[in-house]
Amino acid sequence: MYRLKATVLTFILLGHTVYSDSTRSLAREPRMLKSRNSTYFGEINISNFPECAYTNCITSDQLSPSRLGCVEPELTTDCLCSKAPTPLSCSPEGPSDQDNCWASLEDWFAGECNGSVALIDSSTMPECIQDCVFNFLKNEGCATQTRNCFCILPRNPIVQAATSCYAANCTKKKASSFSPAEWHDNICNLGETPAYDQSGYDSYVTMVHRVRLSMAILVGLISIVLTVIGIGLLWDDDEDDNAGGVACIVIAIALVLLIIVPVYTAL
Ligand SMILES: *[C@@H]1O[C@H](CO)[C@@H](O)[C@H](O)[C@H]1NC(C)=O
Ligand SMILES: *[C@@H]1O[C@H](CO)[C@@H](O)[C@H](O)[C@H]1NC(C)=O
Ligand SMILES: *[C@@H]1O[C@H](CO)[C@@H](O)[C@H](O)[C@H]1NC(C)=O
Ligand SMILES: *[C@@H]1O[C@H](CO)[C@@H](O)[C@H](O)[C@H]1NC(C)=O
């Protein structure tokens, strides 16, 4: 008898616990739904959100402010459009993929942010790599040079591309203050990168131009004079002068090879 009562009591208690849990979770639902009805996610109008990314981005909560690295309780335009380095990382397809979901998502993003989307600022890199880097990004599917697209591409190929752009088009032996890896990580982890100080590079390039020009003129003139003297001596009938003539011409050629060539290849 006692046992039966106890069992019934236990059932009632358990039932009550389960019941109050379910009422509590029912009570929580409407509050969640309020800020994410089918039109809005926080401040953001998602009625035109691309279907292909809806599950990945909206249903899965990947666009919540905390996932994007913002502190506001609800998603704001400022967070989505300006602060978050990779707001579209929830995309099921990357920029390099053939599928156009990425493109739809970026179009939606650009429209929703109305032109206030963070771009890769060309002033963050040396002038001599800008065209090359932007061409690389374009080939990878980032036609609009948004930070969002940039940061979603795999890191190493970008760093390698910037490094080889530098090697291909920038003056060689400048002890560079530009670090492609640091540049990439500042943009994608901190959201901003200080402008590259072009002045040091520019004055180096100017110095190289001056050295090249002045050495070419100086050594060129000396070599021409030596060659003329050498030819004069060779033309002379005096056999003894032939050795001197050859020596003059050899010295002229040596000067060009030993001074002009290094000045052009090593700097
Ligand atoms: C959805 O939420 C927004 C703002 O949070 C509100 O203005 C709008 O009326 C809501 N729409 C519906 C259908 O509840
Ligand atoms: C949300 O965006 C859609 C499509 O751009 C638009 O038709 C609708 O009016 C917007 N809703 C609000 C409340 O602005
Ligand atoms: C978009 O921005 C432009 C100017 O930057 C402004 O004139 C326009 O009203 C904005 N449109 C929307 C829908 O916010
Ligand atoms: C190479 O550098 C020059 C001068 O800075 C620049 O005008 C040019 O666009 C660069 N080329 C590439 C491919 O980056």
Side-chain angles (χ1 to χ4, degrees), residues 34 37 39-40:
K34 206 173 114 207
N37 57 35
T39 317
Y40 276 89

Short mmCIF file of all heavy atoms in Angstrom, two decimals, residues 34 37 39-40, ligand 1:
data_model
loop_
_atom_site.label_atom_id
_atom_site.label_comp_id
_atom_site.label_asym_id
_atom_site.label_seq_id
_atom_site.Cartn_x
_atom_site.Cartn_y
_atom_site.Cartn_z
N LYS A 34 10.72 36.22 -31.77
CA LYS A 34 10.40 37.63 -31.94
C LYS A 34 11.46 38.34 -32.79
O LYS A 34 11.13 39.11 -33.68
CB LYS A 34 10.28 38.30 -30.57
CG LYS A 34 9.38 39.52 -30.61
CD LYS A 34 9.14 40.07 -29.21
CE LYS A 34 9.75 41.44 -29.05
NZ LYS A 34 10.12 41.77 -27.70
N ASN A 37 11.86 36.48 -36.86
CA ASN A 37 10.74 36.03 -37.70
C ASN A 37 11.27 35.92 -39.12
O ASN A 37 12.45 36.22 -39.36
CB ASN A 37 9.55 36.99 -37.56
CG ASN A 37 9.91 38.41 -37.91
OD1 ASN A 37 10.72 38.64 -38.80
ND2 ASN A 37 9.32 39.36 -37.22
N THR A 39 11.18 37.64 -41.58
CA THR A 39 11.61 38.87 -42.26
C THR A 39 12.90 39.43 -41.69
O THR A 39 13.73 39.95 -42.42
CB THR A 39 10.51 39.95 -42.14
OG1 THR A 39 9.27 39.33 -42.37
CG2 THR A 39 10.74 41.06 -43.12
N TYR A 40 13.07 39.31 -40.40
CA TYR A 40 14.21 39.97 -39.76
C TYR A 40 15.07 39.03 -38.96
O TYR A 40 14.57 38.13 -38.29
CB TYR A 40 13.72 41.11 -38.85
CG TYR A 40 13.51 42.36 -39.64
CD1 TYR A 40 12.28 42.63 -40.23
CD2 TYR A 40 14.56 43.25 -39.83
CE1 TYR A 40 12.09 43.76 -40.98
CE2 TYR A 40 14.38 44.39 -40.58
CZ TYR A 40 13.15 44.64 -41.17
OH TYR A 40 12.98 45.75 -41.90
C1 LIG B 1 9.47 40.78 -37.67
O1 LIG B 1 10.35 41.55 -36.84
C2 LIG B 1 10.44 42.90 -37.18
C3 LIG B 1 11.45 43.59 -36.26
O2 LIG B 1 12.00 42.74 -35.33
C4 LIG B 1 9.06 43.56 -37.08
O3 LIG B 1 9.16 44.91 -37.45
C5 LIG B 1 8.11 42.85 -37.99
O4 LIG B 1 6.81 43.39 -37.87
C6 LIG B 1 8.07 41.36 -37.65
N1 LIG B 1 7.24 40.68 -38.63
C7 LIG B 1 6.36 39.74 -38.27
C8 LIG B 1 5.60 39.12 -39.38
O5 LIG B 1 6.21 39.43 -37.11
#
